[in-house]
Amino acid sequence: MDTQMKRGLLDICVLAAIKNEDSYGYQIIKDMQPYVSMSESTLYPILRRLETAGYLTVRSLEHNGRLRKYYHITPAGLARIAEFRDEWQEIMAIYRFVTREEGHG
């Protein structure tokens, strides 16, 4: 898969993982696991990139004597998911065109 496309898809997956409730790194990976395999070394740069882009915010809370970073999706992050849904329709149309059987239009 094209690296840029995969990167964009993983960004959307991370946003989708936290769209309903705040979460932290290990839990995000666990929630995505049935759909997408991701390591911590892949996740944390994505989280930093999404924070820089304004798609999520971060807050630290103490948990069992240690600080844990919780990620919260912003209105811009929710809007990015909505944009992705619209873009996906175009991607699926391209996919249908590329995979159509020869001789059928």
Side-chain angles (χ1 to χ4, degrees), residues 7-9 19-20 29-31 39 42 44 48 53 57 64 69-70 73-74 76-77 79 83 87 94 96 100 104-105:
R7 178 179 170 182
L9 292 172
K19 76 177 179 179
N20 294 323
I29 290 172
K30 191 173 163 185
D31 290 344
S39 67
T42 300
Y44 287 104
R48 283 190 294 276
T57 58
N64 292 335
K69 287 184 178 183
Y70 283 85
I73 195 164
T74 65
E83 289 170 13
E87 293 165 358
I94 293 167
R96 285 188 297 274
R100 75 189 189 288
H104 289 92

Side-chain angles (χ1 to χ4, degrees), residues 2-101:
D2 176 71
T3 304
Q4 286 296 96
M5 181 181 281
K6 185 172 185 177
R7 178 179 170 182
L9 292 172
L10 291 176
D11 287 3
I12 293 296
C13 288
V14 171
L15 289 173
I18 64 170
K19 76 177 179 179
N20 294 323
E21 65 180 324
D22 295 357
S23 194
Y24 55 96
Y26 176 76
Q27 187 63 48
I28 293 169
I29 290 172
K30 191 173 163 185
D31 290 344
M32 291 175 54
Q33 204 164 28
Y35 309 98
V36 179
S37 177
M38 184 182 294
S39 67
E40 289 183 33
S41 63
T42 300
L43 175 64
Y44 287 104
I46 291 171
L47 289 168
R48 283 190 294 276
R49 184 169 60 247
L50 293 171
E51 180 184 14
T52 300
Y55 294 143
L56 56 84
T57 58
V58 182
R59 64 184 163 83
S60 296
L61 292 175
E62 188 173 328
H63 178 77
N64 292 335
R66 296 176 52 194
L67 282 181
R68 178 183 280 173
K69 287 184 178 183
Y70 283 85
Y71 299 90
H72 174 80
I73 195 164
T74 65
L78 292 170
R80 179 63 196 111
I81 291 173
E83 289 170 13
F84 171 78
R85 286 185 181 139
D86 292 342
E87 293 165 358
W88 193 250
Q89 297 306 313
E90 184 178 353
I91 292 168
M92 288 305 299
I94 293 167
Y95 174 81
R96 285 188 297 274
F97 173 74
V98 170
T99 59
R100 75 189 189 288
E101 292 190 31

